[in-house]
């Protein structure tokens, strides 16, 4: 079966393994290999079912639990996969493959420190070849001028279920309302707008601007947040994706682009401003909030949120050929019960 998988004949390997298991001639090795074959074949749902059966039959074997982690990861359930790899290591702290996969999963979640901690527990003599690409990725991630996409996706997938209650209650989040007030100032009487909501989350900005729009689209890194936004039935189109790359796909379709508390996960805003300018219609507006930096340009704050100076934003707007139509100080949210020093800007694309 291993040879068949390596030769690209995963479906044949899966049939062979299923036959052995159904004949009572396949133990835990055959079952974990079946999961591997199904994943190689792209049969994710079948792999997940087989992995759950295997872990249920062999709950004390780290190999079976690790296979369940692999299937969960392939199905896009990163937090659950991490939990299974951790469970495998509680069964056997010396399960090197589970530790390698746990480190790789933390890396997928953008948690470089947690990944490095797991990798440091592995014996380099045995694992150096397999560790090398992960260690290179850690170096690359630490020099990024933005938050890692995996970290942002994992963060918001984790608390999507109670996002609105937590943000509105505990953090007094009001970035959408700040932008709506700014819109009333710089574009009074606007209506029937085609809008793009960057980092739309659960759709709170969509609610704040619903009466001004004829159509609103949203993009967000978190599938769980997109699912919550879809439940509001306000958005025309919703896409799971990275706004830096997503903005390049399309024409000048929008009267208004919104980014409520989204740019705090991006340091260098050059790609974003360039992409927004590309997607705005002439005379279209770009409204966004940031956390204010007291220094020049941008820097990563203590809560892993990027801060930007007003001077940097104005200079970048000029480079993107966007005019500053308005700028107001604001407190988009609380942090430890203290209002965050923020800024809301309105940029306009000229004719």
């Amino acid at each position: 079966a291993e040879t068949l998988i390596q030769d690209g004949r995963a479906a044949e390997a899966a049939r062979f393994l299923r036959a052995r298991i159904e004949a009572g001639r396949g133990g835990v090795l055959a079952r974990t290999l079946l999961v591997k074959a199904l994943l190689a074949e792209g049969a994710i749902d079948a792999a997940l079912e087989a992995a759950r059966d295997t872990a249920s039959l062999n709950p004390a074997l780290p190999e079976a639990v690790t296979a369940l982690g692999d299937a969960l990861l392939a199905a896009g359930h990163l937090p659950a996969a991490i939990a299974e790899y951790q469970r495998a290591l509680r069964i056997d702290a010396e399960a090197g493959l589970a530790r390698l996969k746990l480190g790789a999963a933390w890396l997928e979640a953008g948690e470089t420190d947690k990944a490095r901690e797991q990798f440091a527990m592995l014996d380099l003599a045995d694992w150096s070849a397999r560790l090398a690409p992960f260690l290179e990725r850690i170096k690359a991630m630490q020099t990024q001028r933005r938050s890692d996409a995996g970290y942002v996706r994992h963060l918001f997938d984790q608390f999507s279920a109670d996002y609105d209650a937590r943000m509105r209650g505990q953090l007094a989040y009001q970035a959408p309302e700040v932008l709506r007030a700014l819109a009333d100032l710089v574009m009074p009487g606007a209506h029937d707008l085609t809008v793009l909501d960057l980092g739309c989350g659960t759709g709170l900005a969509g609610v704040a601007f619903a009466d001004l729009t004829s159509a609103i689209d949203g993009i967000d890194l978190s599938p769980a947040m997109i699912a919550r936004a879809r439940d509001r039935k306000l958005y025309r189109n919703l896409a799971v994706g990275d706004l830096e790359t997503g903005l390049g796909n399309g024409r000048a379709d929008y009267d208004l682009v919104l980014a409520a508390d989204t740019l705090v996960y991006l340091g260098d805003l050059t790609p974003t401003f360039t992409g927004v300018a590309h997607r705005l219609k002439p005379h279209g507006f770009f409204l966004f909030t940031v956390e204010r930096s007291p220094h020049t340009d941008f820097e990563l704050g203590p809560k892993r949120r990027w801060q930007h100076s007003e001077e940097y934003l104005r200079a970048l707007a000029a480079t993107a050929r966007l005019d500053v139509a308005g700028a107001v100080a604001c407190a988009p949210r609380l942090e430890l019960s203290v209002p965050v020093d923020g800024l809301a800007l309105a940029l306009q694309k000229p004719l």
Side-chain angles (χ1 to χ4, degrees):
E2 283 276 21
T3 301
L4 288 170
I5 295 169
Q6 292 170 6
D7 289 346
R9 297 157 65 190
E12 188 176 342
R15 288 194 297 271
F16 166 73
L17 291 163
R18 279 193 190 280
R20 291 186 66 85
I21 293 167
E22 290 169 1
R25 298 173 57 215
V28 66
L29 177 59
R31 291 179 178 275
T32 56
L33 273 177
L34 175 61
V35 175
K36 182 177 179 180
L38 291 169
L39 290 176
E41 185 185 351
I44 306 300
D45 290 344
L48 193 52
E49 182 181 358
R52 285 181 171 139
D53 287 345
T54 301
S56 177
L57 291 167
N58 304 277
L61 289 179
E63 297 85 356
V65 178
T66 299
L68 178 55
D70 294 345
L72 287 164
L73 189 63
H77 304 306
L78 179 59
I82 288 172
E84 292 304 322
Y85 294 140
Q86 290 172 327
R87 182 159 73 100
L89 287 167
R90 288 195 297 272
I91 296 168
D92 181 4
E94 300 302 316
L97 185 59
R99 193 167 299 283
L100 179 74
K101 292 185 173 184
L102 176 59
W106 277 127
L107 200 54
E108 185 66 24
E111 298 284 0
T112 55
D113 290 342
K114 292 179 180 179
R116 189 188 294 105
E117 179 184 358
Q118 295 301 319
F119 294 150
M121 297 183 193
L122 293 169
D123 188 340
L124 281 177
D126 296 328
W127 295 96
S128 59
R130 296 187 67 170
L131 276 174
F134 296 122
L135 298 178
E136 285 298 316
R137 188 178 173 195
I138 287 176
K139 289 180 183 177
M141 289 170 64
Q142 289 177 328
T143 60
Q144 288 182 137
R145 290 152 67 91
R146 56 165 288 174
S147 298
D148 184 75
Y151 163 72
V152 177
R153 181 175 59 250
H154 178 65
L155 174 68
F156 285 98
D157 277 348
Q158 284 285 79
F159 71 97
S160 60
D162 64 346
Y163 175 85
D164 290 3
R166 183 185 303 188
M167 293 296 286
R168 294 300 206 184
Q170 181 180 344
L171 300 178
Y173 174 67
Q174 56 182 346
E177 289 71 28
V178 167
L179 293 185
R180 176 55 195 268
L182 181 58
D184 291 341
L185 286 172
V186 300
M187 45 194 307
H191 59 89
D192 294 330
L193 302 175
T194 303
V195 180
L196 176 60
D197 188 2
L198 302 177
C200 62
T202 63
L204 292 174
V207 174
F209 281 83
D211 62 320
L212 298 186
T213 67
S214 62
I216 181 167
D217 299 330
I219 183 171
D220 199 281
L221 277 166
S222 164
M225 298 289 268
I226 286 287
R228 294 291 307 281
R230 185 169 287 114
D231 289 341
R232 294 190 186 275
K233 302 188 186 306
L234 290 173
Y235 289 82
R236 177 179 63 182
N237 296 306
L238 285 162
V240 176
D242 191 312
L243 67 88
E244 282 192 338
T245 54
L247 283 168
N249 302 320
R251 301 172 296 179
D253 297 325
Y254 295 103
D255 303 299
L256 174 63
V257 175
L258 301 171
D261 206 38
T262 296
L263 303 187
V264 294
Y265 297 104
L266 302 171
D268 181 5
L269 297 178
T270 303
T272 301
F273 275 42
T274 301
V276 167
H278 171 66
R279 300 304 301 276
L280 279 175
K281 298 176 183 178
H283 277 190
F285 283 87
F286 177 31
L287 272 57
F288 60 90
T289 62
V290 295
E291 294 183 6
R292 195 196 303 259
S293 169
H295 307 110
T296 58
D297 296 344
F298 55 89
E299 60 186 346
L300 190 61
K303 297 296 182 179
R304 296 181 71 174
R305 293 162 62 88
W306 293 88
Q307 302 169 343
H308 302 85
S309 72
E310 184 172 351
E311 294 77 11
Y312 169 73
L313 297 169
R314 288 179 176 273
L316 199 57
T319 300
R321 297 181 179 176
L322 297 171
D323 298 329
V324 178
V328 295
C330 66
R333 55 177 278 171
L334 302 181
E335 190 67 63
L336 300 176
S337 301
V338 176
V340 168
D341 181 17
L343 189 67
L345 261 71
L347 308 181
Q348 186 176 27
K349 183 175 179 177
L351 278 174

